[in-house]
Amino acid sequence: MALTGMQIYKQLPRTNCKKCGFPTCMAFAMQVAAKQKAIADCPDISDEATSTLSEESSPPMRLVKLGSGTAVFETGQETVMCRHEEKFHRKCGIAIKLSSDLSDDDFIKGLEEINSRKYVRVGKEIKVELCAVEIDGVNNPSERAAIAAEKSEVPLILVGENPDAMKSAALAVKHSKPLIYRATEENLDAFIAIAKEYKLPLAISAPTLEELADFTVKAKEVGLDELLLSWKGGADPGDFVRFSTQVRRSALLHKFRPFGYPIITEFECDSQESETVLLSTAAAKYAGIVLMKGREPWALMPNLTIIQDVFTDPQVPNTVEAKLYEIGNPDENSPVFYTTNFSLTYFSVAGEVERSKIPAYISVVDTEGLGVLNSWAGDKISAEKVIQALKDQNVAEKVNHRKLIIPGLLPVFRAEIEDQSEWKEVIIGPETAKEIPSFMNKIWGK
Amino acid sequence: MKIPDVGTTCKMNISTVTIGALKEEGGTRGRKVTIGGECTLPHLTFDGDNPHKPVIAGYVSDIVPDWPDFLQKAIGKEIHSPDEWAQKCVEDFKVDLISIKLLGGSSERANRSPEDCAKLIETLLKAVEVPLIIWGSGDMEKDRLILQECSQAARGENCLLGSATESNYMTMAAICKADKHKLISEAPVDINIGKQVNILLEDAGFNLDDVVMFQTTAALGYGFDYVYTIMERARIAGLQGDKLMARPQLCDIGEEVWRTKEATMGEDILPRWGDVKKRGPMWEAVCAQGYLQAGADLLIMAHPEAIRTVRKFIA
Ligand code: SF4
């Protein structure tokens, strides 16, 4: 967070003594704001003013890092309430919780399962980011934590509220930098001590928001700054959204430091279906980490996808590589489409072509991430560019016909493509992707 | 410790739209549905209380959509008869209203006549007591005639008709005004066009208090982020005093979700993605729940399990 000249000026001695080489404190403050001078160039500045300024210049929400080596997860340092204002910076992480009643064998199976929950969707990896190990109630907490640290490919969260169990587990795996989850009203002092002793990040909960602020201040006072605000609740998504919006507004809009930390959340509910839907609310509305009890992939996948969607950078056009794509197993008689490299356009077209069950080629033209109409309006597509792309991608060699299906929204290219290229039979396709299956069946079926 | 008071006040409330007319109001509905009226984003009671909860409309169409078997089975044999399907939506799936799509009117499908479509609307009005949302077939040419006939057949019932776009807004405004229906204004995932359609409707003399906005719905994983943000921006603009955007919003979840691979294809196509019979309805439920957070007022949904799960958290 850049400081303004005014913020800096307020902390200066305001004596206009000129020792800094500037005629006034205000002139010096402007130079510091412009990063031309360092605050230390004023010989009379107090230690208190320096620390206030460094506090004010730090981001309103802390970055918290879990894990070590290759297994790391970062959350926090968010800057906006809505994604269109800038973007959401760090993807919400799903942590699958392995309960203490699992036998050692089932526990190991669970760890392996979590490691395997990696998928590729629209060209990007999505996965379970964290492994939450319940400590309370197991016979040997340090052993269980050690097994997890050894086998897990993702960072750990140690789940428990009992200080003795947590202490032995934390000691056993402190090198892998797990999150201590979670301090409560009852165990606060002991948990703060554990986090401090082993230098670990800590999740803190409290019965009310006011107490939560007290608790994080208390942790901060002993030097803990890698904190998460913990919310655990029943089956009302509204309760969570009120909590998350209140702390986020406090941190970002009111610069309220005690809430300047990411959120970790957990729902207690009656079924995996309910948990799935509740977690999606949390993922969209500011949770940095969500704990998930259910382990079924049918519950996981919609949530991994909503996270992928919500945390997409709205300022960067989503593109796919401009090349020739094969859908199904097309042969020399299969139809040829062209479309833009805006990923939403491409994946809609590809999805509908797949649905039509007629294998096809899709030639993707580089339109700098703009969709069909926008690329036309923005001069990013032309008949010439389409012809060139087809040539570069050697499409003519793949098929023994010269029929090209073009987007129905841009029928104007037809004449030019037919005149200027070997694609002599241009077919105007539908205006929207969802009409593709019926269109294909009509013109290409039977 | 004292914590900041983060509450905010809006400059304008979202308009309130009631769908359906009771007997004493010139219709035959047994109940009505009211949406909109918000003063803040969902759940934020520290800003103010939103007066109406979001509602769910059951997806019904005159021909069986190209849906996976497990979805058709979950709905039941009634899917083959629109009036029984609608009744099952109301009685068993507990929806608040019915959305009927006259897909069979398209010249590319059953090419049903506008008169036949209107007859179906009459049958539906008798079969259920909840309000109706009536959509055409997607065949632009035919829909003008279909919607005109259906609008007349449902005259005075205060239905919600879909939809007015940049190209047909004149006709749709005239139809809805003549027969006293509410109107959906539709835009293709473009917030500026969304606003433009409302400007056009207002210029055509249509009262925007009778409009529900539809930004086009994208399925989870297929541009959900674009639509989520458009809806959120439209809602915030409305609350900040942009009266063109201060309108309730509709999402057609069922239509979009049930054409995605993720909701419909088994582990043979998507290995390790889990049982599609469970994954499909969750895909629909999570998509719906997501849009609710962006300010959706009316969700059109299809799978009973998805409806049940989402409804549970609206109540
Ligand atoms: S040295 Fe410090 S106190 Fe003196 S003028 Fe410069 S900024 Fe002001």
Side-chain angles (χ1 to χ4, degrees):
Chain A
M1 299 300 286
L3 291 168
T4 64
M6 208 31 135
Q7 275 174 305
I8 297 161
Y9 175 72
K10 281 188 190 148
Q11 301 300 327
L12 293 174
R14 287 187 263 175
T15 54
N16 297 336
C17 75
K18 304 193 177 62
K19 279 187 247 169
C20 60
F22 289 90
T24 61
C25 291
M26 189 63 197
F28 175 75
M30 299 312 286
Q31 291 297 309
V32 177
K35 299 207 161 47
Q36 298 301 310
K37 287 278 154 196
I39 194 79
D41 292 341
C42 164
D44 296 339
I45 190 143
S46 70
D47 289 350
E48 199 192 329
T50 312
S51 82
T52 308
L53 284 173
S54 87
E55 179 89 326
E56 279 179 14
S57 65
S58 66
M61 190 196 292
R62 185 79 164 78
L63 182 71
V64 178
K65 289 183 198 174
L66 310 185
S68 64
T70 52
V72 286
F73 177 78
E74 294 189 351
T75 180
Q77 226 171 69
E78 293 295 338
T79 53
V80 289
M81 299 301 296
C82 298
R83 49 194 297 284
H84 68 263
E85 296 169 58
E86 186 189 358
K87 63 174 173 180
F88 290 169
H89 296 263
R90 282 163 196 84
K91 273 208 287 188
C92 170
I94 293 182
I96 288 187
K97 185 165 157 183
L98 297 175
S99 104
S100 58
D101 55 26
L102 294 175
S103 69
D104 284 347
D105 283 351
D106 286 342
F107 178 68
I108 289 170
K109 259 188 226 141
L111 291 168
E112 284 162 356
E113 196 181 293
I114 291 170
N115 289 340
S116 76
R117 293 277 173 250
K118 296 191 182 93
Y119 301 81
V120 174
R121 210 190 148 270
V122 294
K124 301 208 175 78
E125 186 182 67
I126 52 178
K127 62 172 186 180
V128 173
E129 301 274 2
L130 298 145
C131 168
V133 182
E134 192 171 48
I135 297 300
D136 286 355
V138 296
N139 290 331
N140 189 339
S142 59
E143 186 188 80
R144 179 147 287 203
I147 295 172
E150 187 203 319
K151 300 237 184 267
S152 177
E153 292 168 14
V154 293
L156 300 184
I157 299 175
L158 300 177
V159 178
E161 296 182 4
N162 176 318
D164 294 335
M166 186 57 79
K167 184 158 184 176
S168 61
L171 171 64
V173 299
K174 62 178 199 286
H175 54 279
S176 60
K177 208 184 168 198
L179 169 69
I180 308 285
Y181 178 89
R182 61 191 194 136
T184 64
E185 198 181 11
E186 287 76 33
N187 67 19
L188 183 68
D189 293 331
F191 268 52
I192 287 178
I194 296 169
K196 184 173 162 63
E197 182 169 358
Y198 303 129
K199 298 194 180 56
L200 297 176
L202 175 68
I204 299 186
S205 68
T208 65
L209 281 171
E210 286 77 7
E211 286 160 287
L212 184 59
D214 294 337
F215 293 0
T216 65
V217 167
K218 197 165 182 186
K220 179 100 193 280
E221 274 163 10
V222 302
L224 289 182
D225 207 18
E226 288 209 276
L227 305 177
L228 282 110
L229 308 175
S230 154
W231 185 91
K232 184 172 174 178
D236 181 0
D239 283 343
F240 172 76
V241 175
R242 282 184 284 279
F243 169 85
S244 66
T245 305
Q246 243 172 311
V247 300
R248 185 133 156 167
R249 279 190 189 172
S250 300
L252 300 187
L253 308 180
H254 299 261
K255 304 279 180 290
F256 184 65
R257 293 282 158 184
F259 288 162
Y261 305 97
I263 294 169
I264 179 166
T265 185
E266 181 176 12
F267 290 96
E268 286 174 318
C269 38
D270 55 359
S271 70
Q272 196 161 352
E273 284 83 355
S274 297
E275 185 182 45
T276 305
V277 167
L278 290 166
L279 286 186
S280 70
T281 318
K285 292 306 259 188
Y286 315 138
I289 298 175
V290 292
L291 251 57
M292 184 168 166
K293 224 182 310 166
R295 276 159 55 181
E296 292 290 344
W298 55 257
L300 176 68
M301 299 316 294
N303 273 314
L304 284 178
T305 305
I306 197 170
I307 291 170
Q308 186 178 30
D309 280 355
V310 169
F311 287 81
T312 301
D313 185 344
Q315 291 155 338
V316 177
N318 245 324
T319 61
V320 292
E321 193 190 338
K323 63 171 194 181
L324 187 67
Y325 292 82
E326 301 189 352
I327 309 294
N329 280 313
D331 60 21
E332 67 280 3
N333 297 315
S334 300
V336 179
F337 289 79
Y338 92 77
T339 190
T340 74
N341 76 333
F342 175 39
S343 58
L344 181 52
T345 312
Y346 170 73
F347 285 111
S348 316
V349 171
E352 295 296 339
V353 168
E354 198 170 313
R355 256 162 56 83
S356 78
K357 303 202 172 71
I358 298 177
Y361 296 96
I362 304 176
S363 167
V364 168
V365 180
D366 183 357
T367 56
E368 298 174 29
L370 294 179
V372 176
L373 284 182
N374 286 335
S375 60
W376 168 239
D379 250 350
K380 302 293 183 209
I381 198 166
S382 61
E384 205 183 328
K385 214 166 164 183
V386 173
I387 294 167
Q388 192 59 44
L390 293 165
K391 216 178 269 166
D392 294 346
Q393 296 167 8
N394 297 320
V395 185
E397 288 167 23
K398 298 275 188 181
V399 291
N400 59 17
H401 61 79
R402 291 295 174 261
K403 295 179 186 164
L404 176 68
I405 302 168
I406 69 171
L409 289 172
L410 272 183
V412 291
F413 287 177
R414 180 188 192 161
E416 203 178 333
I417 294 175
E418 287 181 345
D419 284 356
Q420 313 283 328
S421 80
E422 60 199 305
W423 299 92
K424 293 300 176 199
E425 216 179 311
V426 170
I427 303 166
I428 295 172
E431 287 188 9
T432 61
K434 61 183 160 199
E435 297 163 76
I436 288 175
S438 76
F439 168 84
M440 293 269 273
N441 280 308
K442 221 162 53 188
I443 65 142
W444 220 275
K446 345 295 162 221
Chain B
M1 180 183 298
K2 204 171 160 315
I3 58 169
D5 174 5
V6 299
T8 58
T9 28
C10 68
K11 293 204 180 72
M12 178 180 275
N13 281 59
I14 304 307
S15 56
T16 301
V17 175
T18 296
I19 308 164
L22 307 176
K23 279 206 184 64
E24 56 272 30
E25 295 164 327
T28 60
R29 302 302 78 208
R31 50 182 152 129
K32 301 188 283 187
V33 159
T34 301
I35 55 173
E38 290 92 342
C39 62
T40 181
L41 292 171
H43 310 302
L44 305 185
T45 47
F46 44 80
D47 288 343
D49 284 318
N50 289 334
H52 304 289
K53 286 184 177 141
V55 296
I56 299 178
Y59 185 114
V60 174
S61 57
D62 59 344
I63 54 175
V64 178
D66 180 15
W67 280 349
D69 283 346
F70 71 85
L71 171 57
Q72 297 196 27
K73 281 213 186 84
I75 291 167
K77 60 178 187 338
E78 293 83 354
I79 196 170
H80 297 281
S81 150
D83 51 328
E84 287 174 31
W85 184 1
Q87 282 168 341
K88 191 157 187 184
C89 278
V90 175
E91 281 153 30
D92 292 1
F93 312 158
K94 310 273 186 253
V95 300
D96 304 289
L97 68 172
I98 292 293
S99 162
I100 169 75
K101 294 204 176 181
L102 299 160
L103 303 175
S106 160
S107 54
E108 284 177 18
R109 297 198 191 87
N111 202 13
R112 213 164 267 154
S113 72
E115 292 73 21
D116 284 350
C117 293
K119 274 200 196 97
L120 174 61
I121 297 300
E122 283 168 16
T123 312
L124 279 176
L125 284 166
K126 288 199 187 86
V128 294
E129 60 159 24
V130 299
L132 295 190
I133 307 172
I134 305 172
W135 301 83
S137 64
D139 175 342
M140 284 271 282
E141 285 294 296
K142 280 276 303 278
D143 280 352
R144 213 161 38 85
L145 302 168
I146 292 175
L147 287 169
Q148 194 147 14
E149 284 293 328
C150 292
S151 169
Q152 276 168 20
R155 188 180 183 127
E157 294 284 4
N158 192 19
C159 300
L160 179 61
L161 257 59
S163 60
T165 62
E166 275 184 305
S167 48
N168 72 354
Y169 69 95
M170 280 287 218
T171 320
M172 291 306 295
I175 291 174
C176 286
K177 258 191 341 198
D179 299 321
K180 298 207 166 42
H181 296 305
K182 301 295 191 313
L183 178 57
I184 296 167
S185 76
E186 176 176 344
V189 196
D190 185 321
I191 193 164
N192 297 315
I193 300 181
K195 192 162 174 166
Q196 177 64 14
V197 177
N198 284 358
I199 292 174
L200 293 170
L201 283 171
E202 198 171 42
D203 288 350
F206 198 79
N207 184 354
L208 290 187
D209 288 344
D210 292 338
V211 162
V212 174
M213 288 198 292
F214 177 42
Q215 311 286 2
T216 302
T217 299
L220 185 61
Y222 289 84
F224 171 88
D225 46 323
Y226 288 89
V227 176
Y228 180 92
T229 282
I230 287 175
M231 292 182 66
E232 190 176 49
R233 282 177 65 194
R235 177 52 43 90
I236 290 170
L239 294 169
Q240 286 174 349
D242 182 345
K243 84 177 173 39
L244 292 163
M245 300 308 239
R247 310 295 155 192
Q249 308 198 76
L250 172 152
C251 283
D252 193 358
I253 310 288
E255 183 71 47
E256 296 306 320
V257 162
W258 294 107
R259 54 174 70 248
T260 66
K261 159 166 106 181
E262 288 80 352
T264 58
M265 295 194 181
E267 290 195 290
D268 48 336
I269 306 283
L270 293 169
R272 303 185 300 119
W273 278 59
D275 183 1
V276 68
K277 290 197 199 71
K278 293 284 213 176
R279 190 198 330 129
M282 284 301 104
W283 209 265
E284 187 178 14
V286 165
C287 184
Q289 182 73 5
Y291 283 127
L292 284 178
Q293 308 317 314
D297 298 273
L298 199 174
L299 307 165
I300 301 173
M301 298 182 68
H303 196 295
E305 184 60 34
I307 294 173
R308 199 184 61 80
T309 313
V310 173
R311 196 168 46 83
K312 193 156 95 185
F313 299 116
I314 290 176

Coordinates of all heavy atoms in Angstrom, one line a residue, chain B residues 94-138:
Chain B
K94 N -41.7 -28.8 -4.8 CA -42.0 -27.6 -4.0 C -41.5 -26.3 -4.6 O -40.9 -25.4 -3.9 CB -41.4 -27.8 -2.6 CG -41.8 -29.0 -1.9 CD -43.1 -28.9 -1.1 CE -43.4 -30.1 -0.3 NZ -44.5 -30.9 -0.9
V95 N -41.6 -26.2 -5.9 CA -41.1 -24.9 -6.5 C -42.2 -23.8 -6.3 O -43.3 -24.1 -6.0 CB -40.9 -25.1 -8.0 CG1 -39.8 -26.1 -8.3 CG2 -42.2 -25.5 -8.8
D96 N -41.8 -22.6 -6.5 CA -42.7 -21.4 -6.2 C -43.5 -21.1 -7.5 O -44.5 -20.5 -7.4 CB -41.8 -20.2 -5.8 CG -41.0 -20.5 -4.6 OD1 -41.5 -20.6 -3.5 OD2 -39.7 -20.7 -4.8
L97 N -42.9 -21.4 -8.7 CA -43.7 -21.1 -9.9 C -43.1 -22.1 -11.0 O -42.2 -22.9 -10.7 CB -43.6 -19.7 -10.3 CG -42.3 -19.0 -10.8 CD1 -42.6 -17.6 -11.3 CD2 -41.3 -18.9 -9.7
I98 N -43.7 -22.0 -12.2 CA -43.4 -22.9 -13.3 C -42.9 -22.1 -14.4 O -43.4 -21.0 -14.8 CB -44.6 -23.7 -13.7 CG1 -45.0 -24.7 -12.6 CG2 -44.3 -24.4 -15.0 CD1 -44.0 -25.8 -12.3
S99 N -41.7 -22.5 -15.0 CA -41.2 -21.9 -16.2 C -41.5 -22.9 -17.4 O -41.1 -24.0 -17.3 CB -39.7 -21.7 -16.1 OG -39.2 -21.5 -17.4
I100 N -42.3 -22.5 -18.3 CA -42.6 -23.4 -19.5 C -41.9 -22.9 -20.7 O -42.0 -21.7 -21.1 CB -44.1 -23.5 -19.7 CG1 -44.4 -24.3 -21.0 CG2 -44.9 -22.2 -19.6 CD1 -44.2 -25.7 -21.0
K101 N -41.2 -23.8 -21.4 CA -40.5 -23.5 -22.6 C -41.2 -24.2 -23.7 O -41.4 -25.4 -23.7 CB -39.0 -23.9 -22.6 CG -38.3 -23.1 -21.6 CD -36.8 -23.1 -21.9 CE -36.2 -22.1 -20.9 NZ -34.8 -21.9 -21.0
L102 N -41.6 -23.5 -24.8 CA -42.4 -24.1 -25.8 C -41.4 -24.5 -27.0 O -41.6 -24.1 -28.1 CB -43.4 -23.1 -26.3 CG -44.4 -22.7 -25.2 CD1 -45.1 -21.4 -25.5 CD2 -45.4 -23.9 -25.0
L103 N -40.5 -25.4 -26.6 CA -39.4 -25.8 -27.5 C -40.0 -26.4 -28.8 O -39.5 -26.2 -29.9 CB -38.5 -26.8 -26.9 CG -37.8 -26.4 -25.6 CD1 -37.0 -27.6 -25.0 CD2 -36.9 -25.2 -25.9
G104 N -41.1 -27.1 -28.6 CA -41.7 -27.8 -29.8 C -42.3 -26.9 -30.8 O -42.6 -27.3 -31.9
G105 N -42.4 -25.6 -30.5 CA -42.9 -24.7 -31.5 C -41.9 -24.4 -32.6 O -42.2 -23.9 -33.7
S106 N -40.6 -24.7 -32.3 CA -39.5 -24.4 -33.3 C -39.7 -25.2 -34.6 O -40.1 -26.4 -34.6 CB -38.2 -24.7 -32.7 OG -37.2 -24.9 -33.7
S107 N -39.5 -24.5 -35.7 CA -39.7 -25.2 -37.0 C -38.6 -26.3 -37.2 O -38.8 -27.2 -38.0 CB -39.5 -24.2 -38.1 OG -38.3 -23.5 -38.0
E108 N -37.6 -26.3 -36.3 CA -36.6 -27.3 -36.4 C -37.0 -28.5 -35.5 O -36.4 -29.6 -35.6 CB -35.2 -26.8 -36.0 CG -34.6 -26.0 -37.1 CD -33.3 -25.4 -36.7 OE1 -32.7 -25.9 -35.7 OE2 -32.9 -24.4 -37.3
R109 N -37.9 -28.4 -34.7 CA -38.3 -29.5 -33.8 C -39.7 -29.9 -34.3 O -39.9 -30.2 -35.4 CB -38.3 -29.1 -32.4 CG -36.8 -28.7 -31.9 CD -36.7 -28.8 -30.4 NE -35.4 -28.2 -30.0 CZ -35.3 -26.9 -29.7 NH1 -36.3 -26.1 -29.8 NH2 -34.1 -26.4 -29.4
A110 N -40.7 -29.9 -33.4 CA -42.0 -30.4 -33.7 C -42.8 -29.4 -34.6 O -43.8 -29.8 -35.2 CB -42.8 -30.7 -32.5
N111 N -42.3 -28.2 -34.7 CA -43.0 -27.1 -35.5 C -44.5 -27.0 -35.1 O -45.4 -26.9 -36.0 CB -42.9 -27.4 -37.0 CG -43.1 -26.1 -37.8 OD1 -43.1 -25.0 -37.3 ND2 -43.3 -26.3 -39.1
R112 N -44.7 -27.0 -33.9 CA -46.1 -26.9 -33.4 C -46.7 -25.5 -33.7 O -45.9 -24.5 -33.7 CB -46.0 -27.1 -31.8 CG -47.2 -27.8 -31.3 CD -46.9 -28.3 -29.9 NE -46.5 -29.7 -29.9 CZ -45.7 -30.2 -28.9 NH1 -45.3 -29.5 -27.9 NH2 -45.4 -31.5 -29.0
S113 N -48.0 -25.5 -33.9 CA -48.6 -24.2 -34.3 C -48.7 -23.3 -33.1 O -48.8 -23.8 -31.9 CB -49.9 -24.4 -34.9 OG -50.8 -24.8 -33.9
P114 N -48.7 -22.0 -33.3 CA -48.9 -21.1 -32.1 C -50.2 -21.4 -31.4 O -50.3 -21.3 -30.2 CB -49.0 -19.7 -32.8 CG -48.2 -19.8 -34.1 CD -48.4 -21.2 -34.5
E115 N -51.3 -21.8 -32.1 CA -52.5 -22.2 -31.4 C -52.3 -23.4 -30.5 O -52.9 -23.4 -29.4 CB -53.6 -22.5 -32.5 CG -54.1 -21.3 -33.3 CD -53.0 -20.9 -34.4 OE1 -52.1 -21.7 -34.7 OE2 -53.0 -19.7 -34.8
D116 N -51.6 -24.4 -31.0 CA -51.3 -25.5 -30.1 C -50.5 -25.1 -28.9 O -50.8 -25.6 -27.8 CB -50.6 -26.6 -30.9 CG -51.5 -27.4 -31.8 OD1 -52.7 -27.2 -31.7 OD2 -51.0 -28.1 -32.7
C117 N -49.6 -24.2 -29.1 CA -48.8 -23.8 -27.9 C -49.7 -23.1 -26.9 O -49.6 -23.3 -25.7 CB -47.7 -22.8 -28.4 SG -46.4 -23.6 -29.4
A118 N -50.6 -22.2 -27.4 CA -51.5 -21.5 -26.5 C -52.5 -22.5 -25.8 O -52.8 -22.3 -24.6 CB -52.4 -20.5 -27.3
K119 N -52.8 -23.6 -26.5 CA -53.7 -24.6 -25.8 C -52.9 -25.2 -24.6 O -53.5 -25.4 -23.6 CB -54.1 -25.7 -26.8 CG -55.3 -25.3 -27.6 CD -56.0 -26.5 -28.2 CE -57.0 -26.1 -29.2 NZ -56.4 -26.2 -30.6
L120 N -51.7 -25.4 -24.8 CA -50.9 -26.0 -23.8 C -50.8 -25.0 -22.6 O -50.9 -25.5 -21.4 CB -49.4 -26.3 -24.3 CG -48.5 -26.8 -23.1 CD1 -49.0 -28.1 -22.5 CD2 -47.1 -27.0 -23.7
I121 N -50.7 -23.8 -22.9 CA -50.7 -22.8 -21.8 C -52.0 -22.8 -21.0 O -52.0 -22.8 -19.8 CB -50.4 -21.4 -22.3 CG1 -49.0 -21.3 -23.0 CG2 -50.5 -20.3 -21.2 CD1 -47.8 -21.6 -22.1
E122 N -53.1 -22.9 -21.7 CA -54.4 -23.0 -21.0 C -54.4 -24.3 -20.1 O -54.9 -24.2 -19.0 CB -55.5 -23.1 -22.1 CG -55.8 -21.7 -22.6 CD -56.7 -21.8 -23.9 OE1 -57.4 -22.8 -24.1 OE2 -56.8 -20.8 -24.6
T123 N -53.9 -25.4 -20.7 CA -53.9 -26.6 -19.9 C -53.1 -26.4 -18.6 O -53.5 -26.9 -17.5 CB -53.3 -27.8 -20.7 OG1 -53.9 -27.8 -22.0 CG2 -53.5 -29.1 -20.0
L124 N -51.9 -25.8 -18.8 CA -51.0 -25.6 -17.6 C -51.7 -24.7 -16.6 O -51.6 -25.0 -15.4 CB -49.7 -25.0 -18.1 CG -48.7 -26.0 -18.7 CD1 -47.5 -25.2 -19.1 CD2 -48.3 -27.0 -17.6
L125 N -52.3 -23.7 -17.1 CA -53.0 -22.8 -16.1 C -54.0 -23.5 -15.3 O -54.3 -23.2 -14.1 CB -53.6 -21.6 -16.9 CG -52.6 -20.5 -17.4 CD1 -53.2 -19.6 -18.4 CD2 -52.0 -19.7 -16.2
K126 N -54.6 -24.5 -15.9 CA -55.6 -25.3 -15.1 C -54.9 -26.3 -14.2 O -55.4 -26.6 -13.1 CB -56.6 -26.1 -16.1 CG -57.5 -25.1 -16.8 CD -58.7 -25.9 -17.4 CE -59.6 -24.9 -18.2 NZ -59.1 -24.8 -19.6
A127 N -53.8 -26.8 -14.7 CA -53.1 -27.9 -14.0 C -52.5 -27.4 -12.7 O -52.4 -28.2 -11.7 CB -52.1 -28.6 -14.8
V128 N -52.0 -26.2 -12.7 CA -51.3 -25.7 -11.5 C -51.8 -24.4 -11.0 O -52.4 -23.6 -11.9 CB -49.7 -25.6 -11.7 CG1 -49.1 -26.9 -11.9 CG2 -49.4 -24.6 -12.8
E129 N -51.7 -24.1 -9.8 CA -52.2 -22.8 -9.3 C -51.1 -21.7 -9.1 O -51.4 -20.6 -8.7 CB -53.0 -23.0 -8.0 CG -52.1 -23.6 -6.8 CD -52.7 -23.3 -5.5 OE1 -53.9 -23.1 -5.4 OE2 -51.9 -23.3 -4.5
V130 N -49.9 -22.1 -9.4 CA -48.8 -21.2 -9.2 C -48.6 -20.3 -10.5 O -49.1 -20.7 -11.6 CB -47.4 -21.9 -8.9 CG1 -47.5 -22.7 -7.6 CG2 -47.0 -22.8 -10.1
P131 N -47.9 -19.2 -10.4 CA -47.7 -18.4 -11.6 C -46.8 -19.0 -12.6 O -46.1 -20.0 -12.3 CB -47.0 -17.1 -11.0 CG -47.3 -17.1 -9.6 CD -47.4 -18.6 -9.2
L132 N -46.9 -18.5 -13.9 CA -46.1 -19.1 -15.0 C -45.1 -18.1 -15.5 O -45.4 -16.9 -15.6 CB -47.1 -19.5 -16.1 CG -48.1 -20.6 -16.0 CD1 -48.7 -21.0 -17.4 CD2 -47.5 -21.8 -15.4
I133 N -44.0 -18.7 -15.9 CA -43.1 -18.0 -16.8 C -43.2 -18.6 -18.2 O -43.1 -19.9 -18.3 CB -41.6 -18.1 -16.3 CG1 -41.5 -17.7 -14.8 CG2 -40.7 -17.3 -17.2 CD1 -40.1 -18.0 -14.2
I134 N -43.4 -17.9 -19.2 CA -43.6 -18.5 -20.5 C -42.5 -18.0 -21.5 O -42.3 -16.8 -21.7 CB -45.0 -18.0 -21.1 CG1 -46.1 -18.4 -20.1 CG2 -45.2 -18.7 -22.5 CD1 -47.5 -17.9 -20.5
W135 N -41.9 -19.0 -22.1 CA -40.8 -18.7 -23.1 C -41.2 -19.3 -24.4 O -42.0 -20.2 -24.5 CB -39.5 -19.4 -22.7 CG -38.9 -19.1 -21.4 CD1 -39.2 -19.6 -20.2 CD2 -37.8 -18.2 -21.1 NE1 -38.4 -19.1 -19.2 CE2 -37.5 -18.2 -19.7 CE3 -37.1 -17.3 -21.9 CZ2 -36.5 -17.4 -19.1 CZ3 -36.1 -16.6 -21.3 CH2 -35.8 -16.6 -19.9
G136 N -40.7 -18.7 -25.5 CA -40.9 -19.2 -26.8 C -40.1 -20.4 -27.1 O -39.6 -21.1 -26.1
S137 N -39.8 -20.7 -28.4 CA -39.1 -21.9 -28.8 C -37.7 -21.7 -29.1 O -36.9 -22.6 -29.3 CB -39.8 -22.4 -30.0 OG -39.6 -21.5 -31.1
G138 N -37.2 -20.4 -29.1 CA -35.9 -20.1 -29.5 C -35.8 -19.8 -31.0 O -34.8 -19.4 -31.5

